[in-house]
Amino acid sequence: MKKRFLIVSIIAILLISISIPVFAMDNVANGVRNMVGGAENMLEDAGNTISGGIKNGINTVGQGTQNVVSDVKNGMNNTENSMAGGIATDNNNGGGYTATRTATDDVTVAGMSTNTWTWIIIGITALAIGILIWAYIKQRNTNDLYIDSDDE
C-alpha cells in the first residue's frame, strides 16, 4: 500500500508540475503578445506622427512657394498695367510713345570702333601673359633650386 501511495503521489506531483506551467505559459504568452502589440502600436503611432509632420511641412512649403509665385505674377501684372497706362496717357504725341535715337553714328575712339579696341586689348593681354610665362620658364632653367638637407 505504501508503494501504491508513493507511485500515485509521484504521478500526481508530476501531473501537477506539468499542468501548472501550461496554465502559467498561457499567461506568459498573453503577456508577450500584449507587449509586442503595444510596441507595434507605439511604432505605428510614431511613424504616423512623423509622416504627418513631413506631409504638413511639404504642404506648407508648397503653399508658401505658390504664394510667392502668385505675388510675383501679380507684381508683374501691376507693373505691366502701370507701364501700359503710362504709355497710353502720354499726351505729348497723341497718346503713343516713340523713342528718338540720339546717337546715329557709330561710336569711335581715335578713329577706331569699340570692337577694334576690344581686340587690341585682348591681344596686348595675351602678349603680356606669354611674356610672363616665358620669363618664369627662363628663370627656372637658370636657377638651381636644389636644397640639400644635409647642409643644415
Side-chain angles (χ1 to χ4, degrees):
M1 183 81 173
K2 285 185 178 185
K3 280 187 174 185
R4 232 186 223 177
F5 180 71
L6 183 63
I7 291 176
V8 170
S9 297
I10 290 175
I11 291 174
I13 290 173
L14 284 175
L15 287 175
I16 290 173
S17 66
I18 290 173
S19 64
I20 288 176
V22 168
F23 294 120
M25 286 303 290
D26 188 38
N27 290 337
V28 170
N30 286 337
V32 169
R33 276 190 206 115
N34 290 340
M35 183 182 74
V36 170
E40 180 185 355
N41 290 340
M42 183 183 69
L43 288 174
E44 185 179 353
D45 291 344
N48 288 338
T49 302
I50 290 171
S51 67
I54 291 172
K55 218 182 281 183
N56 289 340
I58 289 173
N59 288 339
T60 301
V61 169
Q63 290 170 355
T65 304
Q66 184 177 5
N67 290 342
V68 167
V69 170
S70 295
D71 289 346
V72 169
K73 177 184 165 194
N74 292 338
M76 293 300 287
N77 285 338
N78 291 342
T79 302
E80 179 185 7
N81 292 337
S82 297
M83 290 174 68
I87 291 171
T89 59
D90 184 17
N91 293 325
N92 291 337
N93 60 358
Y97 177 78
T98 60
T100 305
R101 187 171 177 174
T102 57
T104 57
D105 298 331
D106 288 334
V107 177
T108 59
V109 176
M112 291 185 280
S113 70
T114 54
N115 194 21
T116 306
W117 280 108
T118 302
W119 281 109
I120 289 173
I121 292 170
I122 290 173
I124 291 171
T125 305
L127 183 66
I129 290 172
I131 290 171
L132 287 173
I133 291 172
W134 176 76
Y136 178 73
I137 290 171
K138 186 84 170 148
Q139 177 189 5
R140 295 283 290 179
N141 288 338
T142 59
N143 291 344
D144 186 12
L145 296 176
Y146 179 74
I147 299 173
D148 189 8
S149 62
D150 292 337
D151 289 343
E152 294 175 7

